[in-house]
Amino acid sequence: MKTYKKLSIICILFFSVAATYAQQDFQGKAYYASKTTVDMDNFGRPDMSPDRKKQIMERMKSFLEKTYILTFNKTESIYKEEEQLAAPGGSQGRGFGGFGASFVAGEQYKNVQSNALLQEQEFFGKQFLIKDSLAPLKWKMTGETKQIGQYMAMKATAMKPVDKLSFSSFRPGPRGGDKETADKKGDSTKVDKPVEEKEVPKEIEVTAWYTMQIPVNQGPGEYWGLPGLILEVSADRTTVLCTKIVLNPTEKESINAPSKGKEVTKDEYAEIVTKKMEEMREMYGGRGGRGGGRPGRGR
């Protein structure tokens, strides 16, 4: 009986917005806050003090916590980071140890009708346009619901292949390497693998909450494929939550596919980044560099 009542409410809400959605020039804007956590217990050198770890977290905050805007219509969307004023004495987007500035994500375009995904990406001063198809996820509806702001949200889960350029693949290992610790103990034969070489799972579970009150096949980042706007999504250590929605704003924006940069596929871009990261590791003597910037959006 309760399930029937919930479905009835959802149907009423769906039809209440159907007229708005049916407008030819329908457009909306969704604001999202993204937060990524780091396992500090296994971060850095084994002898690193809690105070030092805290300092590092503060420096990493600029790319672990971001805000984005998704501008969408019935078939297309543009997802981009919201511009922020740099803090006094700081540099916006520098990331951890300045390394994060090497990975600057631009606009991301999705077209669910033509199945197109385009991502502007700057990498070490070079501009790329990553061109690929939208990767479908096999969503499973759980029947669970919850309220997110003024919207009734429904839960769905899926297994997602791990991105080759995920943050976990490039997190920094112990500076100075484990060899230094082993040498101090007088045993140079027992050297653990650096953090960046540890096995990464092939798939991660994604949990999404979507609302049929806004029946568009869109969501933050590369997420899409549900019968309503995705308001919240969690994958690995990252959670993206919608904080504000504006439907049919007075001033509408053009949603155009980005065109700047050298065209590459996602696999080609991954190969370029991986090669550069290997060069950086050799340059820093296998220490993983001065920090682990987050290539791409990691959304």
Side-chain angles (χ1 to χ4, degrees):
M1 186 67 182
K2 287 183 178 179
T3 303
Y4 177 78
K5 188 176 181 182
K6 281 184 179 180
L7 289 173
S8 298
I9 293 171
I10 292 169
C11 287
I12 292 170
L13 292 172
F14 175 82
F15 287 114
S16 68
V17 296
T20 303
Y21 174 72
Q23 294 180 31
Q24 198 65 29
D25 60 348
F26 169 81
Q27 189 178 104
K29 296 185 79 169
Y31 296 76
Y32 293 89
S34 171
K35 185 173 183 178
T36 300
T37 59
V38 175
D39 182 6
M40 295 305 292
D41 291 336
N42 296 312
F43 183 88
R45 298 188 304 263
D47 61 343
M48 184 178 288
S49 69
D51 287 342
R52 178 57 179 155
K53 288 184 179 182
K54 187 177 179 181
Q55 289 175 1
I56 291 174
M57 280 301 296
E58 286 299 317
R59 294 175 66 184
M60 294 173 73
K61 193 174 180 179
S62 64
F63 66 86
L64 292 178
E65 297 180 15
K66 291 181 177 291
T67 55
Y68 296 92
I69 301 175
L70 178 73
T71 304
F72 58 89
N73 57 31
K74 289 184 285 186
T75 58
E76 302 170 287
S77 70
I78 287 286
Y79 188 64
K80 61 183 179 181
E81 186 177 346
E82 188 174 18
E83 293 183 8
Q84 303 285 345
L85 292 175
S91 176
Q92 177 66 21
R94 282 179 61 86
F96 174 48
F99 194 73
S102 304
F103 304 92
V104 182
E107 294 184 345
Q108 184 188 73
Y109 170 86
K110 294 198 300 288
N111 188 317
V112 298
Q113 193 171 51
S114 62
N115 206 40
L117 174 66
L118 293 170
Q119 168 75 56
E120 286 184 346
Q121 185 74 47
E122 184 181 331
F123 177 60
F124 276 90
K126 294 182 179 180
Q127 192 72 34
F128 294 92
L129 181 63
I130 304 169
K131 194 172 183 180
D132 221 324
S133 299
L134 285 172
L137 291 176
K138 295 181 180 179
W139 293 107
K140 294 180 180 178
M141 311 305 178
T142 68
E144 296 178 58
T145 62
K146 72 174 181 179
Q147 196 77 14
I148 298 180
Q150 67 185 70
Y151 297 95
M152 175 67 73
M154 304 179 72
K155 183 179 178 181
T157 61
M159 297 304 296
K160 176 181 179 291
V162 171
D163 195 323
K164 292 180 181 179
L165 301 180
S166 66
F167 172 71
S168 59
S169 301
F170 291 91
R171 56 190 175 190
R175 290 182 65 183
D178 289 341
K179 185 178 184 302
E180 182 181 340
T181 305
D183 288 342
K184 286 181 181 179
K185 293 179 180 179
D187 186 357
S188 60
T189 61
K190 294 180 181 180
V191 181
D192 294 332
K193 285 186 178 182
V195 174
E196 64 268 28
E197 291 183 5
K198 288 186 178 179
E199 187 177 351
V200 176
K202 293 182 179 180
E203 287 185 322
I204 54 173
E205 184 178 38
V206 178
T207 299
W209 294 88
Y210 67 97
T211 179
M212 292 179 66
Q213 290 174 253
I214 307 176
V216 294
N217 193 356
Q218 294 285 353
E222 71 270 32
Y223 299 107
W224 67 291
L226 286 166
L229 180 67
I230 298 174
L231 301 181
E232 180 181 335
V233 63
S234 299
D236 197 15
R237 293 181 175 272
T238 299
T239 297
V240 184
L241 176 65
C242 183
T243 58
K244 178 183 174 183
I245 293 176
V246 179
L247 296 178
N248 283 324
T250 305
E251 295 184 9
K252 289 184 171 58
E253 297 181 20
S254 297
I255 299 179
N256 300 314
S259 57
K260 296 178 183 178
K262 178 183 176 181
E263 276 195 23
V264 291
T265 65
K266 195 172 184 178
D267 287 342
E268 287 171 341
Y269 179 70
E271 188 177 342
I272 291 168
V273 173
T274 301
K275 186 177 179 180
K276 185 65 177 179
M277 294 301 293
E278 288 172 354
E279 291 175 3
M280 294 292 290
R281 284 170 182 162
E282 290 177 9
M283 185 183 300
Y284 286 94
R287 292 175 295 175
R290 292 181 58 85
R294 186 171 191 170
R297 285 195 181 281
R299 307 181 273 217

